[in-house]
Amino acid sequence: VLGSVAKERFNYSKAVGDFEKAIKLNPSFATAHQWMGGLLLVMGDPEAALTSYQKALSLDPRSRITGNNLALTYYLLNRQPEAVAVALEVFDFAPDFPEISRSLMHLALSAGDCESVVRYGNRLAAILNKDVNATPVYNDLCQTQDSEARVKAVETILSWPSIEFSATGDATLSYPEDIVLSLVDLGMFEPAVTLAEKHRDYYHHIILTRVRSMRSANGINFYCDSRVQALFEQTEIPPMDGKNICD
């Protein structure tokens, strides 16, 4: 608990120490390894986060939260096939867990698999009682870059006053960072920056900490963009310890 508080206050070194103590006291405490993975991801070290999440899942293989976080980490590391495989394993035993359908939809979106975008988008919309027009927006975003449908989908997304994943009745099937990362994967940096700026205070700057953990070529280029670096300068997010992926 203390580690989680320190993490939220951006005192990462203290949080690491707290989690390490918890793990030392009880090495088989899966949740402590999961918390450490989340902290390392926020710190911009997805490689180390992967090890923590793998350990957590080995201790609690039916944890849908850990499985989903592991899939996210594989995705950030640009290891898409492994991300999809882990997400599908979670989906097999927790098909009504909305977070996993959300992850599978966005993994499909980033890969240009529009059929799967529709499949998991429809399931997610049904689980969350979303607007019937929710999935078409994401399907249109999945289309070819120069298509009129994609341009219109981006305009629609940017017009949303807020992006509330769990809210019923609206057309959003994501958290803000999901769409930012998908736009980056699709090479659409301009709307990605616009959306990041619009939601810059979202959940302790989770958009920016996700962005700096991306290891795809597009992800690194976006993170190193001067406009994105300017957003970091406006926050309290500590720099990555000893790393500069922009060199």
Side-chain angles (χ1 to χ4, degrees):
V1 175
L2 291 175
S4 294
V5 171
K7 172 186 169 185
E8 295 302 319
R9 294 178 177 173
F10 299 109
N11 190 346
Y12 293 161
S13 59
K14 184 179 187 309
V16 167
D18 289 341
F19 291 146
E20 286 178 341
K21 288 178 184 176
I23 291 170
K24 186 175 181 179
L25 286 171
N26 186 357
S28 61
F29 183 30
T31 303
H33 292 281
Q34 177 191 308
W35 286 340
M36 179 67 91
L39 172 62
L40 292 167
L41 210 55
V42 167
M43 292 173 65
D45 193 348
E47 295 84 1
L50 182 70
T51 300
S52 290
Y53 281 135
Q54 287 172 330
K55 180 64 176 179
L57 197 62
S58 72
L59 293 168
D60 185 6
R62 300 284 288 184
S63 171
R64 58 188 189 176
I65 294 174
T66 300
N68 189 53
N69 287 335
L70 178 59
L72 166 66
T73 306
Y74 274 126
Y75 158 72
L76 292 171
L77 286 167
N78 201 28
R79 295 166 63 173
Q80 182 96 358
E82 291 153 296
V84 173
V86 171
L88 287 173
E89 288 178 6
V90 176
F91 185 82
D92 283 344
F93 68 80
D96 294 327
F97 180 42
E99 296 279 359
I100 204 62
S101 288
R102 161 187 151 252
S103 293
L104 284 164
M105 184 190 73
H106 275 280
L107 285 168
L109 178 57
S110 294
D113 180 0
C114 302
E115 182 178 341
S116 293
V117 168
V118 173
R119 180 188 311 124
Y120 293 110
N122 284 340
R123 181 167 188 82
L124 188 55
I127 294 172
L128 297 176
N129 296 313
K130 290 287 188 173
D131 186 288
V132 293
N133 294 314
T135 303
V137 175
Y138 291 84
N139 181 45
D140 288 346
L141 184 60
C142 186
Q143 305 306 312
T144 56
Q145 186 166 359
D146 58 352
S147 72
E148 184 178 341
R150 178 181 279 190
V151 172
K152 189 172 181 181
V154 171
E155 291 174 350
T156 298
I157 290 169
L158 291 178
S159 73
W160 289 337
S162 63
I163 298 176
E164 301 291 343
F165 172 66
S166 59
T168 60
D170 69 6
T172 63
L173 300 175
S174 314
Y175 292 113
E177 75 270 18
D178 298 324
I179 302 180
V180 170
L181 298 186
S182 289
L183 289 171
V184 171
D185 279 328
L186 295 170
M188 305 184 75
F189 286 12
E190 289 293 337
V193 169
T194 300
L195 201 60
E197 289 175 336
K198 183 176 181 179
H199 295 278
R200 70 177 66 187
D201 295 325
Y202 171 71
Y203 199 66
H204 293 280
H205 318 295
I206 195 169
I207 292 175
L208 296 180
T209 55
R210 286 284 189 270
V211 164
R212 76 174 178 183
S213 286
M214 294 182 81
R215 294 297 181 263
S216 64
N218 272 2
I220 292 172
N221 288 336
F222 182 73
Y223 167 70
C224 297
D225 187 292
S226 59
R227 296 165 297 180
V228 176
Q229 289 296 303
L231 288 177
F232 271 97
E233 291 171 3
Q234 298 168 27
T235 75
E236 300 173 21
I237 300 173
M240 289 188 288
D241 188 18
K243 292 185 177 181
N244 186 354
I245 59 175
C246 298
D247 286 342

